[in-house]
Amino acid sequence: MNVSVLGDSISTFEGYNPPANAVYYYTTRLKANHLDTVHDTWWGQVIDHVGGELLVNESFSGSLVAGRGFPAGCCPERSQGLDAHGVCPDAVLVYFGINDYFNCVPLSQGASAHVPDTTCFDGAYAAMVDNVLAAYPDTQMYCATLMRGHIPDSPTWMFPGWRFPTKNASGVALAEYNDVIRQVAHARPDSVHLIDLAASHLTYETIDGLHPTSAGHATMARLWVDRMENQA
């Protein structure tokens, strides 16, 4: 099984993303987060579990799903760049949208709109999914809801006592962004599988509040595998 990944900084890994893509997990940060190999990442563990092979990791640090051009997840260069050497993905793992939340991207343009607006989260997420399915009609997509991170309460950590905000600066809850992901997945039941990580109400370990450590990646991977197996 050939598996591709679509996401943001959380899913980057030095040497495993396209050269034009910004990477968060480079040498120093890999060491700080105790990530020795790609098999320590959430996506590496999921791919290992299903006996797959990584085809393309189209993740880009700092990118949003929403936008009108590269590197937005809804643009063709991202959502249609998941094949390699003439080989198309059998499965696409998507963990994407946390930067939309923190950048206060509007959830929706409203029910009266006739043309999807990719500067809004619902239009952009739907466009991203539909672009992937149009480019790879035989693939199966697995779209995950977004989790909150935590920083261990210890004076040796950079931000002791920090808590991941349940609402962004515009007062919109992370749960509302997750509802959009659920709606998009449920509207495409034949090709899109919802991986509802947020429904666990668990958080993952970080050293900065957002980017998972090896323990945080392991938490995410366990939930991914559990949700995938429950759909089998």
Side-chain angles (χ1 to χ4, degrees):
M1 176 189 293
N2 293 302
V3 182
S4 290
V5 180
L6 183 57
D8 49 35
S9 59
I10 288 173
S11 303
T12 60
F13 196 101
E14 187 175 39
Y16 283 82
N17 306 108
N21 291 19
V23 173
Y24 174 82
Y25 285 109
Y26 57 82
T27 305
T28 303
R29 287 172 175 161
L30 289 172
K31 183 177 180 180
N33 287 281
H34 304 291
L35 295 169
D36 296 323
T37 74
V38 293
H39 302 285
D40 297 321
T41 65
W42 74 262
W43 49 271
Q45 293 175 62
V46 172
I47 292 172
D48 287 345
H49 181 82
V50 301
E53 296 287 339
L54 177 66
L55 185 59
V56 174
N57 185 331
E58 180 45 67
S59 297
F60 193 116
S61 182
S63 64
L64 286 67
V65 177
R68 298 197 184 279
F70 189 83
C74 62
C75 76
E77 294 93 332
R78 298 290 308 284
S79 53
Q80 298 174 8
L82 301 168
D83 59 285
H85 311 296
V87 178
C88 294
D90 299 302
V92 175
L93 311 180
V94 182
Y95 188 84
F96 212 166
I98 200 66
N99 291 321
D100 299 77
Y101 169 67
F102 278 117
N103 282 274
C104 301
V105 169
L107 282 174
S108 175
Q109 59 188 324
S112 61
H114 298 292
V115 179
D117 182 354
T118 58
T119 65
C120 296
F121 191 63
D122 61 352
Y125 205 95
M128 174 182 69
V129 168
D130 289 340
N131 283 342
V132 172
L133 296 177
Y136 314 108
D138 295 325
T139 197
Q140 294 292 304
M141 293 188 72
Y142 296 83
C143 295
T145 53
L146 307 168
M147 297 178 67
R148 298 167 58 215
H150 72 266
I151 301 174
D153 290 323
S154 167
T156 63
W157 293 82
M158 189 179 300
F159 309 113
W162 182 89
R163 292 292 182 270
F164 193 104
T166 57
K167 294 183 178 181
N168 62 21
S170 293
V172 182
L174 181 62
E176 296 184 64
Y177 288 81
N178 282 331
D179 282 343
V180 169
I181 296 172
R182 294 181 182 109
Q183 291 161 13
V184 171
H186 289 153
R188 297 156 179 80
D190 293 335
S191 301
V192 181
H193 309 274
L194 177 67
I195 304 297
D196 203 346
L197 306 182
S200 70
H201 303 294
L202 296 176
T203 61
Y204 58 83
E205 182 186 276
T206 77
I207 61 172
D208 64 359
L210 179 59
H211 301 93
T213 61
S214 59
H217 277 280
T219 297
M220 294 177 68
R222 285 194 297 271
L223 291 173
W224 265 88
V225 168
D226 178 71
R227 277 17 181 205
M228 292 177 80
E229 289 185 341
N230 284 340
Q231 293 182 13

Coordinates of all heavy atoms in Angstrom, one line a residue, residues 31-117:
K31 N 16.0 16.4 17.6 CA 16.7 16.0 18.8 C 16.0 16.5 20.0 O 15.8 15.7 21.0 CB 18.1 16.6 18.8 CG 18.9 16.1 20.0 CD 20.4 16.6 19.9 CE 21.2 16.2 21.1 NZ 22.6 16.7 21.0
A32 N 15.5 17.7 20.0 CA 14.8 18.3 21.2 C 13.5 17.5 21.5 O 13.1 17.4 22.7 CB 14.5 19.7 21.0
N33 N 12.9 17.0 20.5 CA 11.6 16.3 20.6 C 11.8 14.8 20.7 O 10.8 14.1 20.7 CB 10.6 16.7 19.5 CG 10.1 18.1 19.7 OD1 9.2 18.3 20.4 ND2 10.7 19.1 18.9
H34 N 13.0 14.3 20.7 CA 13.3 12.9 20.8 C 12.8 12.1 19.6 O 12.3 11.0 19.8 CB 12.8 12.3 22.1 CG 13.4 13.1 23.3 ND1 14.7 13.0 23.7 CD2 12.8 13.9 24.2 CE1 14.9 13.8 24.7 NE2 13.7 14.3 25.1
L35 N 12.8 12.7 18.4 CA 12.4 12.0 17.2 C 13.6 11.5 16.5 O 14.3 12.3 15.9 CB 11.5 12.9 16.3 CG 10.2 13.4 16.9 CD1 9.6 14.5 16.1 CD2 9.2 12.2 17.0
D36 N 13.9 10.3 16.5 CA 15.1 9.7 15.9 C 15.0 9.4 14.5 O 15.9 9.6 13.7 CB 15.6 8.5 16.7 CG 16.0 8.8 18.1 OD1 16.6 9.9 18.4 OD2 15.7 8.0 19.0
T37 N 13.8 8.8 14.1 CA 13.5 8.4 12.7 C 12.1 8.7 12.4 O 11.3 9.1 13.3 CB 13.8 6.9 12.5 OG1 12.7 6.2 13.1 CG2 15.1 6.5 13.1
V38 N 11.7 8.6 11.1 CA 10.3 8.8 10.8 C 9.4 7.8 11.4 O 8.1 8.1 11.5 CB 10.1 8.8 9.2 CG1 10.8 9.9 8.6 CG2 10.6 7.4 8.7
H39 N 9.9 6.7 11.9 CA 9.1 5.7 12.6 C 8.6 6.2 14.0 O 7.8 5.6 14.6 CB 9.8 4.4 12.7 CG 10.3 3.9 11.4 ND1 9.4 3.3 10.5 CD2 11.5 3.9 10.8 CE1 10.1 2.9 9.4 NE2 11.3 3.3 9.5
D40 N 9.2 7.4 14.4 CA 8.7 7.9 15.7 C 7.6 8.9 15.5 O 7.0 9.4 16.5 CB 9.9 8.7 16.4 CG 11.0 7.7 16.7 OD1 10.7 6.6 17.2 OD2 12.2 8.1 16.6
T41 N 7.3 9.3 14.2 CA 6.2 10.3 14.0 C 4.9 9.6 14.0 O 4.8 8.3 13.8 CB 6.4 10.9 12.6 OG1 6.3 9.9 11.6 CG2 7.8 11.6 12.5
W42 N 3.8 10.4 14.1 CA 2.5 9.7 14.1 C 2.2 9.1 12.8 O 1.7 7.9 12.7 CB 1.4 10.8 14.4 CG 1.1 11.8 13.3 CD1 1.6 13.0 13.1 CD2 0.3 11.5 12.2 NE1 1.1 13.6 12.0 CE2 0.3 12.7 11.4 CE3 -0.5 10.4 11.7 CZ2 -0.4 12.8 10.2 CZ3 -1.2 10.6 10.5 CH2 -1.2 11.7 9.8
W43 N 2.6 9.7 11.7 CA 2.3 9.2 10.4 C 3.2 8.0 10.1 O 2.7 7.0 9.4 CB 2.4 10.2 9.3 CG 3.6 11.1 9.3 CD1 3.8 12.2 10.0 CD2 4.9 10.8 8.6 NE1 5.1 12.7 9.8 CE2 5.8 11.9 8.9 CE3 5.3 9.8 7.7 CZ2 7.1 11.9 8.4 CZ3 6.6 9.9 7.2 CH2 7.4 10.9 7.5
G44 N 4.4 8.0 10.5 CA 5.3 6.8 10.3 C 4.8 5.6 11.0 O 4.8 4.5 10.5
Q45 N 4.3 5.8 12.2 CA 3.7 4.7 13.0 C 2.5 4.1 12.4 O 2.2 2.9 12.4 CB 3.5 5.1 14.4 CG 4.8 5.4 15.2 CD 4.5 6.0 16.6 OE1 4.0 5.3 17.4 NE2 5.0 7.2 16.9
V46 N 1.6 5.0 11.9 CA 0.4 4.6 11.2 C 0.7 3.8 9.9 O 0.2 2.7 9.7 CB -0.5 5.8 10.9 CG1 -1.7 5.3 10.0 CG2 -1.0 6.4 12.2
I47 N 1.6 4.3 9.1 CA 2.0 3.6 7.9 C 2.6 2.3 8.2 O 2.3 1.2 7.6 CB 3.0 4.5 7.1 CG1 2.3 5.7 6.5 CG2 3.6 3.7 5.9 CD1 3.2 6.7 5.9
D48 N 3.5 2.2 9.3 CA 4.1 0.9 9.7 C 3.0 0.0 10.1 O 3.0 -1.2 9.8 CB 5.0 1.1 10.9 CG 6.3 1.8 10.4 OD1 6.6 1.8 9.2 OD2 7.1 2.3 11.3
H49 N 2.0 0.4 10.8 CA 0.9 -0.4 11.3 C 0.1 -1.1 10.2 O -0.3 -2.2 10.3 CB 0.0 0.4 12.2 CG -1.1 -0.5 12.8 ND1 -1.0 -1.3 13.9 CD2 -2.4 -0.7 12.4 CE1 -2.1 -1.9 14.2 NE2 -3.0 -1.6 13.3
V50 N -0.1 -0.3 9.1 CA -0.9 -0.9 8.0 C -0.1 -1.6 7.0 O -0.6 -2.1 6.0 CB -1.8 0.2 7.3 CG1 -2.7 0.9 8.3 CG2 -0.9 1.3 6.6
G51 N 1.2 -1.7 7.3 CA 2.1 -2.4 6.4 C 2.4 -1.6 5.1 O 2.6 -2.2 4.0
G52 N 2.3 -0.3 5.1 CA 2.4 0.5 3.9 C 3.8 1.1 3.7 O 4.7 0.9 4.5
E53 N 3.9 1.8 2.6 CA 5.1 2.5 2.3 C 4.8 4.0 2.0 O 3.8 4.3 1.4 CB 5.8 1.9 1.0 CG 6.2 0.5 1.1 CD 7.5 0.3 2.0 OE1 8.2 1.3 2.1 OE2 7.7 -0.8 2.5
L54 N 5.7 4.9 2.5 CA 5.4 6.3 2.3 C 5.7 6.6 0.8 O 6.8 6.3 0.3 CB 6.4 7.1 3.2 CG 6.3 8.7 2.9 CD1 4.9 9.2 3.3 CD2 7.4 9.4 3.7
L55 N 4.7 7.3 0.2 CA 4.9 7.7 -1.2 C 5.4 9.1 -1.2 O 6.5 9.5 -1.7 CB 3.6 7.5 -2.0 CG 3.6 7.8 -3.5 CD1 4.6 6.9 -4.2 CD2 2.2 7.7 -4.0
V56 N 4.5 10.1 -0.7 CA 4.9 11.5 -0.7 C 4.4 12.1 0.7 O 3.2 11.8 1.0 CB 4.2 12.3 -1.8 CG1 4.5 13.8 -1.7 CG2 4.8 11.8 -3.2
N57 N 5.2 12.8 1.3 CA 4.7 13.6 2.5 C 4.6 15.1 2.1 O 5.6 15.8 2.1 CB 5.6 13.4 3.7 CG 5.1 14.1 5.0 OD1 4.4 15.1 4.9 ND2 5.4 13.6 6.1
E58 N 3.4 15.5 1.7 CA 3.2 16.8 1.2 C 2.8 17.7 2.4 O 1.7 18.3 2.4 CB 2.2 16.8 0.1 CG 1.8 18.1 -0.6 CD 3.0 19.0 -0.9 OE1 3.8 18.7 -1.8 OE2 3.1 20.1 -0.2
S59 N 3.6 17.8 3.4 CA 3.4 18.7 4.5 C 4.3 19.9 4.4 O 5.4 19.9 3.9 CB 3.6 17.9 5.8 OG 2.7 16.9 5.9
F60 N 3.8 21.0 4.9 CA 4.4 22.3 4.8 C 4.3 23.1 6.0 O 3.1 23.5 6.4 CB 3.8 23.1 3.6 CG 4.6 24.3 3.1 CD1 5.1 24.3 1.8 CD2 4.8 25.4 3.9 CE1 5.8 25.4 1.4 CE2 5.5 26.5 3.4 CZ 6.0 26.5 2.2
S61 N 5.4 23.4 6.7 CA 5.3 24.1 8.0 C 4.7 25.5 7.8 O 5.1 26.3 7.0 CB 6.7 24.2 8.6 OG 6.7 24.9 9.8
G62 N 3.7 25.8 8.7 CA 3.1 27.1 8.7 C 1.9 27.2 7.8 O 1.2 28.3 7.8
S63 N 1.7 26.2 7.0 CA 0.6 26.3 5.9 C -0.8 26.2 6.5 O -1.0 25.5 7.6 CB 0.8 25.3 4.8 OG 0.7 24.0 5.3
L64 N -1.7 26.8 5.9 CA -3.1 26.7 6.2 C -3.9 25.9 5.2 O -3.4 25.8 4.0 CB -3.8 28.1 6.3 CG -3.5 29.0 7.5 CD1 -2.1 29.5 7.5 CD2 -4.4 30.2 7.4
V65 N -5.0 25.4 5.5 CA -5.9 24.7 4.5 C -6.4 25.8 3.6 O -6.4 25.7 2.4 CB -7.0 24.0 5.1 CG1 -7.9 23.4 4.0 CG2 -6.5 22.8 6.0
A66 N -6.8 27.0 4.2 CA -7.4 28.0 3.4 C -6.4 28.9 2.7 O -5.3 29.0 3.1 CB -8.3 28.9 4.4
G67 N -6.9 29.5 1.6 CA -6.0 30.5 0.9 C -6.3 30.4 -0.6 O -7.1 29.6 -1.0
R68 N -5.7 31.3 -1.4 CA -6.0 31.3 -2.8 C -4.8 30.8 -3.6 O -4.8 30.9 -4.9 CB -6.4 32.7 -3.2 CG -7.6 33.2 -2.5 CD -8.2 34.4 -3.3 NE -9.4 35.0 -2.6 CZ -10.6 34.5 -2.7 NH1 -10.8 33.4 -3.5 NH2 -11.6 35.1 -2.1
G69 N -3.7 30.4 -3.0 CA -2.5 30.0 -3.7 C -1.6 29.2 -2.8 O -1.8 29.1 -1.6
F70 N -0.5 28.7 -3.4 CA 0.5 28.0 -2.6 C 1.0 28.8 -1.5 O 1.2 30.0 -1.6 CB 1.7 27.7 -3.6 CG 2.7 26.8 -3.0 CD1 2.5 25.4 -3.1 CD2 3.9 27.3 -2.5 CE1 3.5 24.5 -2.6 CE2 4.8 26.4 -1.9 CZ 4.6 25.0 -2.0
P71 N 1.2 28.2 -0.3 CA 1.1 26.8 0.0 C -0.2 26.3 0.7 O -0.2 25.4 1.4 CB 2.2 26.6 1.0 CG 2.2 27.9 1.8 CD 1.8 29.0 0.9
A72 N -1.3 27.0 0.4 CA -2.6 26.6 1.0 C -2.9 25.2 0.6 O -2.6 24.7 -0.5 CB -3.7 27.5 0.5
G73 N -3.4 24.4 1.6 CA -3.7 23.0 1.4 C -4.7 22.8 0.3 O -4.8 21.7 -0.4
C74 N -5.6 23.8 0.0 CA -6.6 23.6 -1.0 C -6.1 23.9 -2.4 O -6.8 23.7 -3.4 CB -7.8 24.5 -0.7 SG -7.4 26.3 -0.7
C75 N -4.9 24.4 -2.6 CA -4.4 24.8 -3.9 C -3.9 23.5 -4.6 O -3.5 22.5 -4.0 CB -3.2 25.8 -3.8 SG -1.7 25.1 -3.3
P76 N -4.0 23.5 -6.0 CA -3.6 22.3 -6.7 C -2.2 21.7 -6.4 O -2.0 20.5 -6.4 CB -3.8 22.7 -8.2 CG -4.8 23.8 -8.1 CD -4.5 24.5 -6.8
E77 N -1.3 22.6 -6.2 CA 0.1 22.2 -6.0 C 0.2 21.3 -4.8 O 1.1 20.4 -4.7 CB 1.1 23.4 -5.9 CG 1.2 24.2 -7.1 CD 0.3 25.3 -7.2 OE1 -0.8 25.2 -6.6 OE2 0.6 26.3 -7.8
R78 N -0.6 21.5 -3.8 CA -0.6 20.7 -2.6 C -1.5 19.5 -2.6 O -1.0 18.4 -2.4 CB -1.0 21.6 -1.3 CG -0.2 22.8 -1.0 CD 1.2 22.5 -0.5 NE 1.2 21.5 0.6 CZ 0.9 21.9 1.9 NH1 0.6 23.1 2.2 NH2 1.0 21.0 2.8
S79 N -2.8 19.8 -3.0 CA -3.7 18.7 -2.9 C -3.6 17.7 -4.1 O -4.2 16.6 -4.0 CB -5.1 19.2 -2.8 OG -5.4 20.2 -3.8
Q80 N -2.9 18.1 -5.1 CA -2.7 17.2 -6.2 C -1.2 16.8 -6.4 O -0.8 16.3 -7.5 CB -3.2 17.8 -7.5 CG -4.7 18.1 -7.4 CD -5.2 18.9 -8.7 OE1 -4.5 19.1 -9.6 NE2 -6.5 19.3 -8.6
G81 N -0.4 17.0 -5.4 CA 1.0 16.6 -5.4 C 1.3 15.5 -4.6 O 2.4 15.4 -4.0
L82 N 0.5 14.5 -4.6 CA 0.7 13.3 -3.7 C 1.1 12.0 -4.4 O 1.1 11.0 -3.7 CB -0.7 13.1 -2.9 CG -1.2 14.3 -2.1 CD1 -2.6 14.0 -1.6 CD2 -0.2 14.5 -0.9
D83 N 1.4 12.1 -5.7 CA 1.9 11.0 -6.4 C 3.4 11.2 -6.7 O 3.9 12.3 -6.6 CB 1.1 10.8 -7.7 CG 1.3 12.1 -8.6 OD1 0.6 13.1 -8.3 OD2 2.0 12.0 -9.6
A84 N 4.1 10.1 -7.1 CA 5.5 10.1 -7.4 C 5.8 9.1 -8.4 O 5.4 7.9 -8.3 CB 6.3 9.9 -6.1
H85 N 6.6 9.5 -9.4 CA 7.1 8.6 -10.5 C 6.0 7.7 -11.1 O 6.1 6.5 -11.4 CB 8.1 7.6 -9.9 CG 9.2 8.3 -9.1 ND1 10.1 9.2 -9.6 CD2 9.5 8.3 -7.7 CE1 10.9 9.7 -8.7 NE2 10.5 9.1 -7.6
G86 N 4.8 8.4 -11.3 CA 3.7 7.7 -12.0 C 2.9 6.8 -11.0 O 2.0 6.2 -11.5
V87 N 3.2 6.8 -9.8 CA 2.5 6.0 -8.8 C 1.6 6.8 -8.0 O 2.0 7.9 -7.4 CB 3.5 5.2 -7.9 CG1 2.8 4.4 -6.8 CG2 4.5 4.4 -8.7
C88 N 0.3 6.4 -7.9 CA -0.7 7.2 -7.1 C -0.9 6.6 -5.8 O -0.7 5.4 -5.6 CB -2.0 7.2 -7.9 SG -2.0 8.1 -9.5
P89 N -1.2 7.4 -4.8 CA -1.4 6.9 -3.4 C -2.7 6.0 -3.3 O -3.7 6.3 -3.9 CB -1.6 8.1 -2.6 CG -2.1 9.1 -3.5 CD -1.5 8.8 -4.9
D90 N -2.5 4.9 -2.6 CA -3.7 4.1 -2.2 C -4.5 4.7 -1.1 O -5.7 4.5 -1.0 CB -3.3 2.7 -1.8 CG -2.5 2.0 -3.0 OD1 -3.1 1.8 -4.0 OD2 -1.4 1.6 -2.7
A91 N -3.8 5.4 -0.2 CA -4.4 6.1 0.9 C -3.7 7.4 1.1 O -2.5 7.6 0.9 CB -4.3 5.2 2.1
V92 N -4.5 8.4 1.6 CA -3.9 9.7 1.9 C -4.3 10.0 3.4 O -5.5 10.0 3.7 CB -4.4 10.8 1.0 CG1 -4.0 12.2 1.5 CG2 -4.0 10.6 -0.4
L93 N -3.4 10.3 4.2 CA -3.6 10.7 5.6 C -3.5 12.2 5.7 O -2.5 12.8 5.4 CB -2.5 10.0 6.5 CG -2.2 8.5 6.4 CD1 -1.2 8.1 7.3 CD2 -3.5 7.7 6.5
V94 N -4.6 12.8 6.3 CA -4.7 14.2 6.4 C -4.8 14.7 7.8 O -5.8 14.3 8.5 CB -5.9 14.8 5.6 CG1 -5.9 16.3 5.7 CG2 -5.8 14.3 4.1
Y95 N -3.8 15.4 8.3 CA -4.0 16.1 9.6 C -3.6 17.6 9.4 O -2.5 17.9 9.2 CB -3.0 15.5 10.7 CG -3.3 16.1 12.1 CD1 -4.3 15.5 12.9 CD2 -2.5 17.1 12.5 CE1 -4.5 16.0 14.1 CE2 -2.8 17.7 13.8 CZ -3.8 17.1 14.6 OH -4.1 17.7 15.8
F96 N -4.7 18.4 9.3 CA -4.5 19.7 8.7 C -5.6 20.7 9.2 O -6.7 20.3 9.3 CB -4.6 19.6 7.2 CG -3.7 20.6 6.4 CD1 -3.6 20.3 5.0 CD2 -3.2 21.7 6.9 CE1 -2.8 21.2 4.2 CE2 -2.4 22.5 6.2 CZ -2.2 22.3 4.8
G97 N -5.2 21.9 9.6 CA -6.1 22.9 10.0 C -5.8 23.7 11.2 O -6.5 24.7 11.5
I98 N -4.8 23.3 12.0 CA -4.5 23.9 13.2 C -4.1 25.4 13.0 O -4.3 26.3 13.8 CB -3.5 23.1 14.1 CG1 -3.6 23.6 15.6 CG2 -2.1 23.3 13.6 CD1 -4.9 23.2 16.2
N99 N -3.4 25.6 11.9 CA -2.9 27.0 11.6 C -4.1 27.9 11.2 O -4.1 29.1 11.4 CB -1.9 27.0 10.5 CG -0.6 26.4 11.0 OD1 -0.2 26.7 12.2 ND2 0.1 25.6 10.2
D100 N -5.1 27.3 10.6 CA -6.4 28.0 10.2 C -7.0 28.5 11.5 O -7.5 29.6 11.7 CB -7.3 27.1 9.5 CG -6.8 26.7 8.1 OD1 -5.9 25.7 8.2 OD2 -7.1 27.2 7.1
Y101 N -7.0 27.6 12.5 CA -7.6 27.9 13.8 C -6.9 29.1 14.5 O -7.5 30.1 14.9 CB -7.6 26.7 14.7 CG -7.9 26.9 16.2 CD1 -9.2 27.3 16.6 CD2 -6.9 26.7 17.1 CE1 -9.5 27.5 17.9 CE2 -7.2 26.9 18.5 CZ -8.5 27.3 18.9 OH -8.8 27.5 20.2
F102 N -5.6 29.0 14.6 CA -4.8 30.0 15.2 C -4.8 31.3 14.5 O -4.6 32.4 15.0 CB -3.4 29.5 15.5 CG -3.3 28.7 16.8 CD1 -2.9 27.4 16.7 CD2 -3.6 29.2 18.0 CE1 -2.8 26.6 17.8 CE2 -3.5 28.4 19.2 CZ -3.1 27.1 19.1
N103 N -4.9 31.3 13.1 CA -5.0 32.5 12.3 C -6.4 33.0 12.1 O -6.6 33.9 11.4 CB -4.3 32.2 11.0 CG -2.8 32.2 11.0 OD1 -2.2 33.3 10.9 ND2 -2.2 31.0 11.2
C104 N -7.3 32.4 12.9 CA -8.7 32.9 12.9 C -9.3 33.0 11.5 O -10.1 33.9 11.2 CB -8.8 34.3 13.5 SG -8.2 34.3 15.2
V105 N -9.1 31.9 10.7 CA -9.7 31.8 9.4 C -11.2 31.7 9.6 O -11.6 30.9 10.4 CB -9.2 30.6 8.6 CG1 -10.0 30.3 7.4 CG2 -7.7 30.9 8.2
P106 N -12.1 32.4 8.9 CA -13.5 32.3 9.1 C -14.0 30.9 8.8 O -13.5 30.2 7.9 CB -14.1 33.3 8.1 CG -13.0 34.3 7.8 CD -11.7 33.5 7.9
L107 N -14.9 30.4 9.7 CA -15.4 29.0 9.5 C -16.1 28.9 8.2 O -16.0 27.8 7.5 CB -16.3 28.7 10.7 CG -15.7 28.3 12.0 CD1 -16.8 28.1 13.0 CD2 -14.8 27.0 11.8
S108 N -17.0 29.8 7.8 CA -17.9 29.6 6.7 C -18.2 31.0 6.1 O -18.2 32.0 6.7 CB -19.2 29.0 7.2 OG -20.1 28.9 6.1
Q109 N -18.5 30.9 4.8 CA -19.0 32.1 4.1 C -20.5 32.3 4.1 O -21.0 33.2 3.7 CB -18.6 32.0 2.6 CG -19.2 30.8 1.9 CD -18.6 30.6 0.5 OE1 -18.3 31.5 -0.2 NE2 -18.4 29.3 0.1
G110 N -21.2 31.3 4.7 CA -22.6 31.4 4.8 C -23.3 30.5 3.9 O -22.8 30.2 2.8
A111 N -24.5 30.0 4.2 CA -25.2 29.1 3.4 C -25.7 29.6 2.1 O -26.0 28.9 1.2 CB -26.4 28.5 4.2
S112 N -25.8 31.0 2.0 CA -26.3 31.6 0.8 C -25.3 31.6 -0.4 O -25.7 31.9 -1.5 CB -26.8 33.0 1.0 OG -25.7 33.8 1.5
A113 N -24.0 31.3 -0.1 CA -23.0 31.4 -1.1 C -23.2 30.3 -2.1 O -23.5 29.2 -1.8 CB -21.6 31.4 -0.5
H114 N -23.0 30.6 -3.4 CA -23.1 29.6 -4.5 C -21.7 29.0 -4.9 O -21.7 27.9 -5.4 CB -23.8 30.2 -5.7 CG -25.2 30.7 -5.4 ND1 -26.2 29.8 -5.1 CD2 -25.7 31.9 -5.4 CE1 -27.3 30.5 -4.9 NE2 -27.0 31.8 -5.1
V115 N -20.7 29.7 -4.8 CA -19.3 29.3 -5.1 C -18.5 29.2 -3.9 O -18.4 30.1 -3.1 CB -18.7 30.3 -6.1 CG1 -17.3 29.8 -6.5 CG2 -19.5 30.4 -7.4
P116 N -17.9 28.0 -3.6 CA -17.1 27.9 -2.4 C -16.0 28.9 -2.3 O -15.3 29.2 -3.3 CB -16.5 26.4 -2.5 CG -17.5 25.7 -3.4 CD -18.0 26.8 -4.4
D117 N -15.8 29.5 -1.1 CA -14.8 30.5 -0.9 C -13.6 29.8 -0.2 O -13.8 29.4 1.0 CB -15.4 31.6 -0.1 CG -14.4 32.7 0.2 OD1 -13.2 32.6 -0.2 OD2 -14.7 33.8 0.8

